[in-house]
Amino acid sequence: MSNQEPTIVRRQSTRIYVGNVPIGDGAPIAVQSMTNTRTTDVEQTVNQIKALERVGVDLVRISIPTMDAAEAFKLIKQQVSVPLIADIHFDYRIALKVAEYGVDCLRINPGNIGNQRRIQAVVDCAKDHNIPIRIGVNAGSLEKDIQEKYGEPTPKAIVESALRHVEILDNLNFDQFKVSVKASDVFTAIGAYRLLAQQIKQPLHLGITEAGGVRSGAIKSAIGLGMLLAEGIGDTLRISLAADPTEEVKVGFDILKSLRIRSRGINFVACPTCSRQEFDVIGTVNALEQRLEDIITPMDVSIIGCVVNGPGEALSSTMGVAGGHNKSGFYEDGTRIGRIDNDKMIDELEAKIRAKAALLTNRITTKEIV
Ligand code: SF4
């Protein structure tokens, strides 16, 4: 593992705020997810948002397809603290209603709202309530004339659609927006984001749409978003998975963690294991990942099965173990501290990691106060 500082230079963009979360202009890349409960089921939706909060979500989007859902939104908003984005298609009255109920961002495409009077009403409302808009263009639902012009949803076609919506907001002197240009094909999405990044100054919301189940979706998203993020493109992201939404948040943070863009929680470094392993590496990592999900303090922990790579990795981690016969070498902050019995490995490491996290959190807090 390298301790080199990342060399990613973020694309310059304007800054918007979704509630108290800054987006763009160098702000930490915000991780979003979306509820998949029925919005009118207030209790279930609140429970899901709270579960998302527990895994560190920064922003939550909720679909508001009807006025009944807008009324449910009012109750949901009162019970959670994470900023909420309302996903609205076509019906501008729903946008006005949720703005009244305290929504933090509207995901609505101005070109789909209808006549100029309705568009003006939504933009005026966003201005009055000081809330941003997300323009969300999807390769699968481009305007008919654009589809006919390009024949297929190419990056250029997607960006042309996005710029139509952008132009509507520009003409109304509204610049508090971010834009997404999603596609389920990785190269199409990358091409569209690269193109759009050069054409507007607003923040970009990244996503590979309908990416798939946990494994395939995480891989597609890691490749697509990883390439863009490494180029400095992207200010907020959502990993779309056909899975529990908390998985989306975990994968989102793991992608940011891998690129050393934003750390949250433990970055486990583990060897793939072989016959040299002196303890059950895979079982240990899986158990610790599960037990330590609540730890948000960033730290690197290496779990390595033998002395071939163990000491090297452990010395460059916050904490690490290098497998040995019956007992394994234990390292902290670049020094070998002692040994841990292999049959007590999981419990002992959990205790040590928790103690270290508490210490580091305390140090961070003290530093902030000073
Ligand atoms: Fe095998 Fe040791 Fe390499 Fe792990 S570190 S894969 S146990 S040789």
Side-chain angles (χ1 to χ4, degrees), residues 270-279 281 303-311 313 323:
C271 73
T273 78
C274 71
S275 66
R276 283 205 184 91
Q277 69 174 339
E278 301 281 5
F279 67 94
V281 172
I303 315 276
I304 309 289
C306 77
V307 290
V308 171
N309 292 325
E313 289 292 356

Side-chain angles (χ1 to χ4, degrees), residues 169-246:
L169 296 184
D170 274 348
N171 289 340
L172 294 171
N173 288 323
F174 187 81
D175 62 0
Q176 296 296 295
F177 61 89
K178 53 184 172 153
V179 185
S180 64
V181 280
K182 298 187 183 182
S184 57
D185 176 72
V186 170
F187 284 109
T188 306
I190 291 172
Y193 278 108
R194 281 183 180 151
L195 213 54
L196 186 64
Q198 297 164 359
Q199 310 228 18
I200 63 169
K201 60 184 187 340
Q202 277 75 16
L204 298 181
H205 164 111
L206 299 187
I208 303 294
T209 194
E210 292 120 24
V214 174
R215 185 172 59 97
S216 60
I219 291 169
K220 261 193 221 171
S221 300
I223 291 172
L225 271 51
M227 285 174 75
L228 290 165
L229 290 165
E231 293 170 22
I233 296 173
D235 302 285
T236 175
L237 57 84
R238 180 207 173 186
I239 309 300
S240 300
L241 299 178
D244 187 295
T246 56

Side-chain angles (χ1 to χ4, degrees), residues 194 284 287 365:
R194 281 183 180 151
T284 304
T365 315

Side-chain angles (χ1 to χ4, degrees), residues 76 87 125 136 143 176 196 200 228 257-258 268 285 334 347:
I76 294 163
D87 194 279
C125 168
E143 294 87 338
Q176 296 296 295
L196 186 64
I200 63 169
L228 290 165
K257 215 188 277 183
S258 305
F268 281 103
V285 174
D347 288 343

